[in-house]
């Protein structure tokens, strides 16, 4: 009975998709366009490695994709970087305060984001080869 209902629902969805233009707006996302739903975390961690940024939230790299709430704090930690220097360098607008170029395992950098927006960054040493995005919402 449950299976039959799910089948019917799936077929209805398929029919709806095929019956509409692929580009038709689906109304999803809501006014914020966030799409993921639920509250954003107030803290987030990002690994700085050779040669990548890696999100502690979903493991994405270059770009490392991180989401925090307005007023939330992101902490970057240099991990396994040895003698290779890296930095967190804000790119474009909106911007945040970039870090110094740092060397050494365990170095950290923290930024608190008081304003909603999508912030992009890379590494001053390695440029676009290392990249990340912070969504503050
Ligand atoms: Cu780097």
């Amino acid at each position: 009975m449950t299976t039959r209902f799910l089948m019917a629902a799936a077929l209805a969805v398929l029919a709806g998709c095929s019956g509409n233009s692929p580009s038709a707006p689906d109304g999803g996302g809501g006014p914020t366009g966030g799409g993921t739903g639920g509250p954003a975390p107030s803290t987030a961690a990002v690994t700085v490695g050779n040669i990548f940024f890696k999100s502690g939230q979903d493991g994405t790299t270059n770009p490392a994709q991180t989401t925090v709430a307005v007023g939330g704090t992101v902490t970057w930690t240099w991990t396994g970087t040895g003698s290779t220097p890296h930095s967190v360098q804000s790119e474009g607008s909106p911007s945040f305060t970039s870090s110094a170029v740092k060397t050494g395992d365990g170095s950290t950098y923290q930024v608190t984001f008081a304003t909603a927006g999508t912030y992009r960054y890379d590494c001053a040493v390695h440029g676009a080869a290392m990249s990340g995005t912070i969504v503050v919402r």
Side-chain angles (χ1 to χ4, degrees):
M1 202 154 174
T2 301
T3 302
R4 176 174 292 181
F5 172 78
L6 289 175
M7 291 277 291
L11 288 171
V13 168
L14 288 172
C17 285
S18 62
N20 290 324
S21 160
S23 61
D26 61 9
T32 62
T36 54
S42 59
T43 61
V46 180
T47 296
V48 181
N50 294 340
I51 293 176
F52 58 87
F53 292 108
K54 182 176 182 178
S55 170
Q57 292 177 334
D58 61 6
T60 51
T61 60
N62 301 337
Q65 297 174 337
T66 303
T67 301
V68 290
V70 173
T73 300
V74 177
T75 302
W76 287 264
T77 303
W78 280 238
T79 305
T81 49
S83 59
T84 305
H86 300 286
S87 77
V88 176
Q89 175 175 258
S90 180
E91 280 289 311
S93 180
S95 64
F96 60 92
T97 303
S98 300
S99 78
V101 174
K102 300 185 178 202
T103 301
D105 290 354
S107 292
T108 62
Y109 183 64
Q110 273 191 340
V111 174
T112 297
F113 292 88
T115 305
T118 298
Y119 299 77
R120 293 178 299 111
Y121 62 93
D122 62 12
C123 168
V125 178
H126 299 101
M130 295 174 61
S131 66
T133 301
I134 308 290
V135 175
V136 180
R137 62 177 175 85

